[in-house]
Amino acid sequence: MPLPTFSLNYKNSSGISWCWLVAFLYCLSGVTSLAYEVLWARMLSMQFGVSIFGVVLTVAAFMFGLGLGSLAGARWINRCNAPLTLFAVLEIAIAMYAIMLPNWLRAISGWMEGVAAQFSLTQWYLLQGAEVLCLLFIPALAMGVGFALVLKVVDRTPLSLGKLYGFNTLGGVVGALLPLWSLPVLGWINSVRVVALLGFVVGVAALVLSKFTQPSDATIRSVENNRPSRPVLRTLMIYAGIGAGSIMLEIGWIRMYGMVMLRTEYVLGVILAVFLLGIALGSMLLPRKHNKWLPMVLASLTGGGVLLSVWLLPSISTWVENSQFQSFFGALWSQAIVLVMVTLPVTLALGAWLPLLADRFGSTDSSGVWLYGANCLGGGVGAVLASLLFMPLVGSPAMLSLAGLIIVGLGLLWAHSRWAWLILLAMLPIAWAVRGLPPVHELLPKIEANSSDLYLYEDAISLTHVVRQQNGQRILLSDLQRMDASTEPSAVEIQKDQARLALLLHSEPHSVLFLGLGTGISVAGSQPFPELQRTAVELSQGSIFAATQWFSPVNNNVMDQAQIVRDDARHFLSSTPLHYDVIIGDLFHPDLAGMGSLLSVQQFQRARNHLNVDGIFVQWLALNQFDIQSLKVVLRSFRMVFPNAQMFMDGMHLALVGPKNSPPGAQGTIENLHRMAMQTRTLATGNEGVWTWLGRYWGPITESDGPIQDEWMPYIEYSLPRARYDGNVNLENMMMWLLHRHPDTNTAADILGVDAADKSQFGRAYVATELAVRAWVASIQGDGEKSGRLIWLAYQANPRDRWIANALADNMLQSLSQASQHGFSQREALQKILKVYPDHVGALRALWHLEQASGNTQAAESYHSRLLALSPLDSEVNVTS
């Protein structure tokens, strides 16, 4: 039996149909609903430190709330005589709830950090999950009831279920995109307030509009005598299964295409908008006269489209890698259009199912509420299954294929032909063929050509690869992103330097905490320091296994000498009672979804809270990942927590050094080294000496006005992607800006407390560092001659600096053909290179080959042994070892 209806005066004196005004308001309601979802997912990605977890929890909470709210509305709405008024009240209540939610979240977040010590990581996640479900379920429940109310209002009007659902979903497209503008401009809290204001306007407008609607006599009789009908349970269960498969598709696409395409905080909004656009069009464009073959057609479109989206992944990834986008919005819209083309057949079919099935049961509006509720509940289950079961067990591509097959199989249950099942049978071998993630050399053919995958691990937190390159070296990729996590000799040294600098600056470190493990090579840099307790916190299980099994030849099996804790850095710092002499923040891509919170004021404060009285926190930054404005934001945030903060430069990496109290000085570093044996000192400094390290000082972080990186008002996650695509991430400009901030030698010596007797050594190392940076700037500008001169001068000032000596050795190797013009044989020229930099791999390899060709077995073996020690995974060296 149909739901009770209201008889509207369809047109006013101006000819405006009231039902279309209701549809417009419900479209705006869709804007607010999806904007809330994206904003709250962003908040959760900050809390969990991993975006996909925040997405899953938000989607699950919304789906369960929408589903139960819709079903409750379908069951009890016959008691409501003023549905539009109640809808208005709910919209206003949701808006008020949203305005208060940030304050509640802050209070709960502070409480959770206070009790974190009582919970393991799993328990903490479960507690956060319960918090999310409770807080987001309530407004979602109201939204679900609102769907039933609006359907009752427009029943027996020209507005069909498909059009109403489509209008609401089109509003959702706008709502999914709205935070992409509001978050960078307004911040998270103000964005929520703006959306809440729009929701309040919708509620007030609906309240005004409700004054023009009156229940008809037929409606009153229906309320008194009728109960709402619903489709049979079998139908509801099937459509719930389609809902589960749909959300699994959404989450799988966010993981896969977010990994190869947008890779930023913008990914969720764009993919949601693309997903909803197809659903809206499918719902609105479904013809009123349904062909009996339509279920089979929709099932075929879904399954074929899903399998095609998985099969096209390498091609799309290659296109993204090779494309030169001229602007951020050009990249955003270009990639969004490609996503639309890939997913549109699937989402059109998903959108058409609701009006199609509702129409089959006679009363479109009544059955539509029940079907919508069942579909949403299934979606909530699908979100949970995707993150906890399918992604860890079979991986995202197989999950997508499986979801597509599930939807096909369920859809074919409504097809009136046994032959239709041949469609599913035909798809099975295709699904089997695309079940695995393509190898990295297919996803990144430009930078990882001829590589081979050694290890792959995926869960809801991250996707981890260990890749063997053509030369035998290994790299660690997290969600296809690399940050110097390589076994190349120069990359190994830069990773070890992360520990060396931090530990050298403390006068007597006995404990060190690494926030991030990676390959374990950075932890290996701490091995020369005596009586040191090492702890490393890493959330990714894949990284922990990779460091233990695949990178042990270059991290010196340091995993056996350190306590490895699988935990979220935020939870660990909130829960551990321990304090440390040194805490080191690892390198990461700051513009990736969920990562910017690691550079927030709150995270820096957590680190400071766990330093001993004379402790030091060091956060490493890769300069090629920042524009100047974003770096200023990080510096400002860091100084807010560490007023005596200093900077050091190591190659293209900047170290932010935050002492808990007094700033580190030269005498503390010298005392630290004097307690070690001579050989240990050499290893602790990487054979560069104390003055090389102190010479890398770059001055204090000065006070400045401007925005900061706050977990509740993020900045860099949204500014950096724009800067990167718009060409503002410019290493030359960054280096020039830093050179202008570099203090003169005497000022630097005074800040570090260098004794008068040591100022000459310090001054030479300090000047050499600046000359090297100027040489790199000249090289970027294409002035090789100037760069060569500056490197030569830098080497004269400080020949022990590894980066300077290596750069000079590279220049000498490149001009090897000119050696004979200066009276040197090839052997003599190569040996001169090794005098400049004894660990130069290119020169050692050339001498090894030269001595082999000359039959000098003993000399060849000597060079080979040195190569093997420097580069144990080199394929050429290993073949003959």
Side-chain angles (χ1 to χ4, degrees):
M1 288 181 290
L3 285 170
T5 61
F6 277 68
S7 176
L8 297 181
N9 178 15
Y10 292 151
K11 294 183 180 180
N12 64 5
S13 59
S14 303
I16 300 175
S17 174
W18 290 116
C19 68
W20 292 106
L21 290 178
V22 172
F24 176 70
L25 290 179
Y26 199 46
C27 179
L28 293 181
S29 177
V31 174
T32 59
S33 298
L34 263 295
Y36 287 139
E37 183 172 348
V38 173
L39 289 168
W40 287 332
R42 194 279 151 204
M43 176 271 299
L44 292 175
S45 74
M46 174 272 294
Q47 283 204 340
F48 282 89
V50 273
S51 181
I52 196 69
F53 242 49
V55 171
V56 168
L57 283 171
T58 305
V59 169
F62 262 75
M63 290 295 101
F64 285 131
L66 289 172
L68 289 176
S70 181
L71 294 179
R75 186 171 181 83
W76 302 109
I77 200 170
N78 61 320
R79 300 181 180 182
C80 178
N81 295 328
L84 193 56
T85 302
L86 181 55
F87 171 76
V89 171
L90 288 177
E91 286 292 310
I92 294 172
I94 292 170
M96 295 175 64
Y97 186 91
I99 290 174
M100 294 183 290
L101 187 59
N103 294 327
W104 294 344
L105 287 171
R106 277 190 167 180
I108 293 173
S109 179
W111 172 79
M112 288 186 65
E113 288 200 27
V115 301
Q118 304 174 27
F119 300 99
S120 67
L121 177 64
T122 301
Q123 293 170 333
W124 196 58
Y125 275 172
L126 289 174
L127 181 64
Q128 285 188 311
E131 168 205 344
V132 171
L133 289 175
C134 290
L135 291 176
L136 301 191
F137 175 81
I138 295 172
L141 184 74
M143 294 173 191
V145 173
F147 178 70
L149 292 169
V150 173
L151 274 179
K152 181 176 180 181
V153 171
V154 300
D155 190 21
R156 299 184 183 182
T157 71
L159 192 62
S160 67
L161 167 67
K163 286 187 172 59
L164 182 69
Y165 181 56
F167 280 132
N168 180 257
T169 310
L170 279 178
V173 174
V174 177
L177 296 175
L178 179 61
L180 306 190
W181 165 81
S182 67
L183 280 169
V185 176
L186 304 175
W188 186 78
I189 294 178
N190 288 332
S191 294
V192 171
R193 290 170 178 167
V194 167
V195 175
L197 177 62
L198 178 59
F200 185 81
V201 170
V202 170
V204 171
L207 197 60
V208 172
L209 189 61
S210 68
K211 304 302 181 182
F212 296 88
T213 65
Q214 297 295 330
S216 65
D217 293 339
T219 298
I220 297 173
R221 288 193 299 271
S222 177
V223 170
E224 292 174 348
N225 302 320
N226 295 334
R227 291 181 179 272
S229 63
R230 64 172 176 82
V232 296
L233 182 60
R234 177 178 178 271
T235 297
L236 293 177
M237 294 298 293
I238 292 173
Y239 197 46
I242 291 177
S246 302
I247 297 302
M248 287 165 60
L249 292 179
E250 180 183 318
I251 292 172
W253 280 333
I254 289 173
R255 161 55 63 83
M256 286 178 52
Y257 282 99
M259 180 176 62
V260 303
M261 295 183 74
L262 303 167
R263 308 184 186 189
T264 66
E265 285 282 2
Y266 293 87
V267 65
L268 174 61
V270 171
I271 293 182
L272 269 179
V274 168
F275 191 84
L276 293 172
L277 178 63
I279 290 178
L281 294 176
S283 176
M284 298 176 72
L285 299 179
L286 182 74
R288 284 190 174 272
K289 292 185 178 181
H290 304 153
N291 189 295
K292 66 178 182 178
W293 297 101
L294 193 54
M296 186 174 66
V297 172
L298 294 180
S300 302
L301 273 177
T302 302
V306 169
L307 296 178
L308 183 64
S309 74
V310 179
W311 181 74
L312 285 174
L313 182 66
S315 300
I316 294 174
S317 182
T318 301
W319 168 73
V320 172
E321 187 184 26
N322 292 318
S323 296
Q324 297 292 328
F325 300 106
Q326 299 303 312
S327 67
F328 170 74
F329 283 106
L332 197 67
W333 291 115
S334 297
Q335 296 181 37
I337 289 171
V338 171
L339 278 174
V340 170
M341 294 171 62
V342 170
T343 62
L344 189 60
V346 179
T347 53
L348 281 173
L350 294 176
W353 277 116
L354 179 60
L356 172 65
L357 295 177
D359 190 58
R360 283 194 166 199
F361 294 93
S363 175
T364 302
D365 300 324
S366 174
S367 57
V369 177
W370 287 97
L371 288 165
Y372 178 79
N375 186 260
C376 288
L377 284 178
V381 174
V384 175
L385 291 177
S387 61
L388 299 182
L389 183 65
F390 290 118
M391 271 197 286
L393 289 183
V394 299
S396 294
M399 181 184 74
L400 281 170
S401 300
L402 180 62
L405 294 177
I406 289 173
I407 295 173
V408 171
L410 293 174
L412 290 178
L413 291 174
W414 288 305
H416 300 289
S417 172
R418 294 182 179 180
W419 295 104
W421 290 95
L422 293 175
I423 298 171
L424 181 61
L425 292 176
M427 290 179 180
L428 289 176
I430 302 174
W432 182 260
V434 299
R435 71 189 185 281
L437 188 70
V440 171
H441 71 262
E442 292 184 11
L443 296 172
L444 302 173
K446 187 176 180 179
I447 61 174
E448 297 299 340
N450 301 314
S451 66
S452 58
D453 295 1
L454 297 176
Y455 172 68
L456 171 63
Y457 180 89
E458 181 179 6
D459 56 21
I461 293 172
S462 65
L463 190 148
T464 304
H465 279 95
V466 177
V467 177
R468 182 184 186 273
Q469 297 179 311
Q470 189 176 16
N471 61 2
Q473 302 295 349
R474 297 171 186 172
I475 60 171
L476 178 69
L477 300 177
S478 179
D479 293 332
L480 286 185
Q481 299 298 300
R482 171 186 172 186
M483 178 57 73
D484 292 309
S486 167
T487 59
E488 289 280 357
S490 58
V492 168
E493 293 302 321
I494 195 69
Q495 290 172 82
K496 288 184 177 180
D497 283 354
Q498 294 179 40
R500 287 169 178 155
L501 173 66
L503 292 169
L504 284 169
L505 291 176
H506 195 283
S507 60
E508 192 175 353
H510 293 291
S511 58
V512 58
L513 171 65
F514 293 86
L515 300 179
L517 175 67
T519 59
I521 298 174
S522 57
V523 181
S526 69
Q527 285 179 314
F529 291 83
E531 301 176 359
L532 187 65
Q533 294 181 347
R534 303 170 184 85
T535 305
V537 177
E538 175 60 58
L539 185 58
S540 169
Q541 184 62 52
S543 293
I544 295 173
F545 183 85
T548 304
Q549 300 296 324
W550 294 103
F551 290 95
S552 56
V554 287
N555 66 30
N556 303 323
N557 294 301
V558 73
M559 305 290 282
D560 298 332
Q561 305 170 30
Q563 179 187 7
I564 309 300
V565 181
R566 191 192 179 205
D567 204 345
D568 172 75
R570 179 174 177 267
H571 172 256
F572 181 84
L573 290 174
S574 300
S575 61
T576 182
L578 300 177
H579 290 70
Y580 300 88
D581 292 326
V582 176
I583 301 178
I584 301 171
D586 200 5
L587 291 164
F588 56 88
H589 286 259
D591 61 336
L592 296 184
M595 302 301 288
S597 60
L598 296 177
L599 297 177
S600 66
V601 171
Q602 290 87 344
Q603 181 67 1
F604 293 151
Q605 186 63 55
R606 293 183 194 110
R608 189 179 191 278
N609 292 342
H610 288 277
L611 290 173
N612 288 323
V613 176
D614 56 349
I616 295 173
F617 173 60
V618 178
Q619 177 63 59
W620 286 93
L621 307 175
L623 292 174
N624 62 343
Q625 294 292 328
F626 290 86
D627 67 322
I628 294 174
Q629 292 304 317
S630 297
L631 180 61
K632 287 180 177 179
V633 170
V634 177
L635 296 180
R636 204 176 289 123
S637 305
F638 195 81
R639 192 185 184 281
M640 180 175 289
V641 178
F642 298 99
N644 293 319
Q646 311 291 319
M647 294 184 293
F648 284 75
M649 180 90 77
D650 183 43
M652 298 294 179
H653 294 166
L654 188 67
L656 310 185
V657 179
K660 187 165 188 178
N661 292 301
S662 58
Q667 295 308 309
T669 301
I670 293 172
E671 291 173 9
N672 187 2
L673 288 173
H674 280 173
R675 67 192 180 94
M676 305 178 193
M678 186 59 67
Q679 184 178 2
T680 306
R681 292 183 201 174
T682 301
L683 293 173
T685 64
N687 200 29
E688 293 186 281
V690 62
W691 296 113
T692 296
W693 282 102
L694 292 173
R696 289 172 177 155
Y697 176 68
W698 210 263
I701 299 178
T702 56
E703 186 176 5
S704 64
D705 296 325
I708 60 171
Q709 177 68 6
D710 189 285
E711 289 179 346
W712 299 96
M713 295 190 68
Y715 182 92
I716 60 176
E717 298 97 320
Y718 299 98
S719 66
L720 268 181
R722 294 173 183 241
R724 177 157 56 89
Y725 281 110
D726 292 342
N728 294 324
V729 177
N730 187 300
L731 189 58
E732 176 190 344
N733 292 341
M734 176 68 74
M735 291 292 193
M736 292 299 298
W737 181 76
L738 286 170
L739 282 168
H740 287 309
R741 297 174 58 90
H742 200 210
D744 62 71
T745 306
N746 289 331
T747 301
D750 290 342
I751 294 174
L752 292 177
V754 178
D755 288 342
D758 297 323
K759 282 190 175 182
S760 176
Q761 294 183 79
F762 169 77
R764 293 175 67 86
Y766 189 78
V767 169
T769 299
E770 178 166 330
L771 288 171
V773 173
R774 293 188 180 278
W776 295 329
V777 171
S779 179
I780 295 170
Q781 294 171 339
D783 192 342
E785 183 178 351
K786 180 180 179 181
S787 176
R789 290 198 308 269
L790 290 171
I791 284 294
W792 172 249
L793 291 173
Y795 181 76
Q796 297 303 307
N798 183 20
R800 297 193 67 179
D801 188 302
R802 180 194 311 110
W803 307 120
I804 295 172
N806 192 29
L808 180 58
D810 283 342
N811 294 342
M812 294 170 69
L813 188 64
Q814 291 173 8
S815 62
L816 187 63
S817 59
Q818 304 173 20
S820 59
Q821 301 175 15
H822 299 278
F824 297 111
S825 66
Q826 185 181 17
R827 178 181 286 103
E828 291 171 334
L830 290 168
Q831 289 171 344
K832 280 186 171 292
I833 293 174
L834 293 183
K835 287 183 179 179
V836 171
Y837 186 48
D839 291 340
H840 194 273
V841 172
L844 286 169
R845 192 185 305 276
L847 279 167
W848 172 41
H849 291 161
L850 181 63
E851 299 299 355
Q852 277 185 322
S854 301
N856 298 328
T857 306
Q858 185 174 358
E861 181 57 32
S862 174
Y863 290 123
H864 174 262
S865 298
R866 291 170 65 181
L867 270 174
L868 190 60
L870 282 171
S871 189
L873 296 175
D874 188 295
S875 56
E876 183 184 18
V877 177
N878 264 318
V879 166
T880 56
S881 61

